[in-house]
Amino acid sequence: MKQLLRPVGALASLAILAFSVRAANRSYHEAAIGAAHWIEMNSIQKSPGIVWASNPDDPKTVNTTLFAGTPGPILFLLETFRYTGDRAYLDKARQGADALLASISQNDDTGLYTGLAGSGFTLGEAYLITHDRRYNDGALKCVRWIEAKAVKTSPGAKWNDVTDIISGASGTGLFLLWAADHLEAQGARELAIHVGENLLATGEQEPGGGLKWMMDKSYPFEMPNFCHGTAGVAYFLATLYQATGRKEFLRAALGGAKYLISIANVTDRYFLIYHDNKNNHLFYLDWAHGPAGTAGLFYRLYQITKDPKWMTLVEKCAAAVRVFGGPEKAFATIPPGSAPTLTVWRNGNPKEVANPGVWQNVSICDGVAGESEFFYNVYLVSHNREWLRAAEEGSDRLVSLADNKDGAYRWVQVETFVQPDLAIAQTNYMQGASGIGMWLLHFNAALSGQRRPVITFPDNPFAY
């Protein structure tokens, strides 16, 4: 294991927030409803239904991906209806689901956040909440198209060489398991198993018995964390073990965890892994490429094995976010100043870009909202109130950073730190108001003591 310099004053004492829980709840609720209002204001009429542009100022950004498209507002408005009882939100969500149902195509890719798996999940949730059979039929159609696009391999099956959560085998496999459990989709679990068998065969053995997976064969950077790397693949394989009891899936998941531990920067207090092997001084703190996502693998392994070492790693992941500046900061270079330039992949070639040093991102994917939700999840499974205070601190920051015009809340932010001057407000789940609003809606209800159903994505092991 690599050892990092320990930051001076790391994990300094956290002050209890000065305002009352009731006031905090009200501000979270107001921001969530304000986000829903802004989402409603920016819908685009279509026949049938309505859609959303990811960037409301650019109609060309309308798309059907769970990451950046119309599914995010649909899910957020469905949840807002359940939490408020206001049928106006349900009506808007249904109009969005109608448009999505009419837009899905067998030509879409299969990914969870980029294609049919995400559309199927969204339509499936729409069915579970509305009981409209059309949405169930649409979700099952997505499953059938995913099955039709699968290619048999020896062993198993795949769609292409992409292994990851975002667009590859692991994310699509998780959707298939979700569809089998929630929609009783015939053949879905069996196909997920075949996909897992292929991943078993393609994992690369590392010295010491660990296993790693590249995102795909053509991409030269290894990004080991959750959304594009070994952590996400191992999470899928561990979840397959839960569903099947087949020990080879658990062995591979443990092999992935072993590899991640071997490359981690870890102390007795924190655990985190570099963004990629070409930028080993760059550390994201987020869900996508940081400890807030990779902790999901460790928690899944704790659920399976009950071995406390995995829960220790979950809390060390949370501590890493705190030590290096979260939930305010989205990334760090360690040691500070060690990476004045960073290497990115552009148009098939590596390119050196300046390290901006600051990344103003507040999203579920890369920023404050995702880190805050992670802290709350860790609080629920550890009962350590330090993480609850961190979740409150992040959520307060979200409210303070909102652009509120006449009760419509949006968040202007930088999606990618290599374009620090490109700050826009988005409608979608991963980088926009739908994801932020859904988090604040959930957190407000939790702090108010309300036991509400929660839309839980197929790649999320935490249920609150």
Side-chain angles (χ1 to χ4, degrees):
M1 298 180 186
K2 299 177 182 178
Q3 193 82 2
L4 288 183
L5 298 175
R6 184 170 304 175
V8 176
L11 283 180
S13 60
L14 302 174
I16 300 295
L17 299 175
F19 51 83
S20 69
V21 168
R22 179 174 297 178
N25 288 348
R26 186 165 61 249
S27 69
Y28 300 159
H29 179 77
E30 288 174 357
I33 298 305
H37 180 42
W38 186 70
I39 294 291
E40 289 181 307
M41 288 171 53
N42 284 284
S43 62
I44 301 170
Q45 289 295 324
K46 188 178 179 181
S47 181
I50 57 176
V51 296
W52 284 267
S54 180
N55 175 2
D57 295 329
D58 183 0
K60 294 181 180 179
T61 61
V62 171
N63 69 87
T64 60
T65 69
L66 181 56
F67 189 99
T70 290
I74 294 170
L75 292 169
F76 175 40
L77 293 174
L78 285 170
E79 200 77 309
T80 307
F81 159 68
R82 288 205 295 186
Y83 280 53
T84 66
D86 187 337
R87 295 190 67 86
Y89 298 122
L90 178 62
D91 292 342
K92 285 284 188 181
R94 289 180 66 111
Q95 290 177 60
D98 289 345
L100 181 62
L101 187 60
S103 299
I104 55 174
S105 165
Q106 191 168 8
N107 295 324
D108 296 343
D109 82 34
T110 57
L112 177 58
Y113 287 97
T114 60
L116 288 169
S119 297
F121 170 67
T122 304
L123 291 170
E125 285 289 349
Y127 163 68
L128 294 172
I129 293 172
T130 67
H131 307 293
D132 187 327
R133 297 291 308 182
R134 294 179 303 127
Y135 303 142
N136 183 67
D137 293 344
L140 295 178
K141 182 184 291 186
C142 290
V143 172
R144 292 195 298 273
W145 284 341
I146 289 169
E147 291 173 338
K149 293 165 80 75
V151 177
K152 290 184 179 180
T153 59
S154 182
K158 66 178 185 178
W159 297 278
N160 49 45
D161 290 331
V162 183
T163 64
D164 70 2
I165 292 288
I166 294 291
S167 64
S170 297
T172 305
L174 288 166
F175 164 68
L176 291 170
L177 293 176
W178 180 91
D181 289 341
H182 292 82
L183 306 178
E184 299 181 355
Q186 294 185 359
R189 182 175 285 105
E190 289 74 14
L191 180 55
I193 291 169
H194 293 321
V195 171
E197 291 169 342
N198 179 261
L199 289 170
L200 293 179
T202 57
E204 300 177 26
Q205 290 284 345
E206 290 294 301
L211 277 174
K212 76 174 183 181
W213 288 264
M214 300 291 285
M215 181 177 71
D216 68 45
K217 295 178 180 179
S218 65
Y219 194 77
F221 292 14
E222 182 209 358
M223 299 172 285
N225 287 287
F226 194 75
C227 80
H228 288 310
T230 294
V233 177
Y235 176 84
F236 168 53
L237 294 174
T239 306
L240 260 182
Y241 168 76
Q242 280 189 319
T244 66
R246 287 178 52 174
K247 292 185 178 180
E248 62 266 39
F249 292 133
L250 178 58
R251 284 195 295 269
L254 291 168
K258 186 173 184 178
Y259 169 67
L260 294 171
I261 292 169
S262 76
I263 64 170
N265 292 275
V266 61
T267 70
D268 60 355
R269 188 173 295 251
Y270 63 79
F271 177 104
L272 77 167
I273 300 169
Y274 51 72
H275 174 276
D276 66 84
N277 61 341
K278 305 296 184 183
N279 297 284
N280 57 13
H281 293 293
L282 174 65
F283 296 83
Y284 281 24
L285 305 177
D286 60 8
W287 171 88
H289 295 284
T294 294
L297 167 62
F298 300 142
Y299 185 61
R300 179 63 93 216
L301 291 174
Y302 174 75
Q303 290 175 312
I304 292 168
T305 68
K306 304 305 180 187
D307 188 330
K309 74 179 182 183
W310 302 118
M311 185 59 70
T312 297
L313 285 175
V314 170
E315 288 210 73
K316 283 190 174 185
C317 285
V321 180
R322 281 306 259 172
V323 166
F324 295 103
E328 179 178 353
K329 292 182 68 176
F331 81 110
T333 50
I334 305 169
S338 60
T341 64
L342 301 168
T343 304
V344 299
W345 192 250
R346 288 290 182 271
N347 300 317
N349 293 290
K351 180 182 178 181
E352 295 294 313
V353 298
N355 182 347
V358 177
W359 184 13
Q360 299 295 339
N361 189 291
V362 297
S363 71
I364 285 288
C365 183
D366 294 312
V368 178
E371 291 174 16
S372 300
E373 183 174 33
F374 170 56
F375 285 134
Y376 184 63
N377 284 329
V378 177
Y379 161 68
L380 289 179
V381 299
S382 70
H383 310 295
N384 183 343
R385 292 188 66 84
E386 177 180 358
W387 310 126
L388 176 60
R389 292 192 293 271
E392 290 173 325
E393 179 184 320
S395 300
D396 295 341
R397 182 166 177 78
L398 288 172
V399 173
S400 71
L401 291 174
D403 178 13
N404 173 11
K405 293 184 179 179
D406 299 322
Y409 282 62
R410 64 175 192 162
W411 286 264
V412 179
Q413 60 140 30
V414 175
E415 179 173 348
T416 172
F417 73 87
V418 297
Q419 295 178 291
D421 297 325
L422 183 59
I424 59 174
Q426 299 185 49
T427 61
N428 59 58
Y429 181 80
M430 275 299 195
Q431 293 287 345
S434 292
I436 297 169
M438 191 180 295
W439 158 243
L440 292 173
L441 194 70
H442 289 161
F443 195 41
N444 170 70
L447 291 182
S448 301
Q450 301 174 37
R451 300 287 296 180
R452 300 275 189 170
V454 172
I455 291 176
T456 303
F457 281 45
D459 57 359
N460 183 4
F462 300 101
Y464 59 84

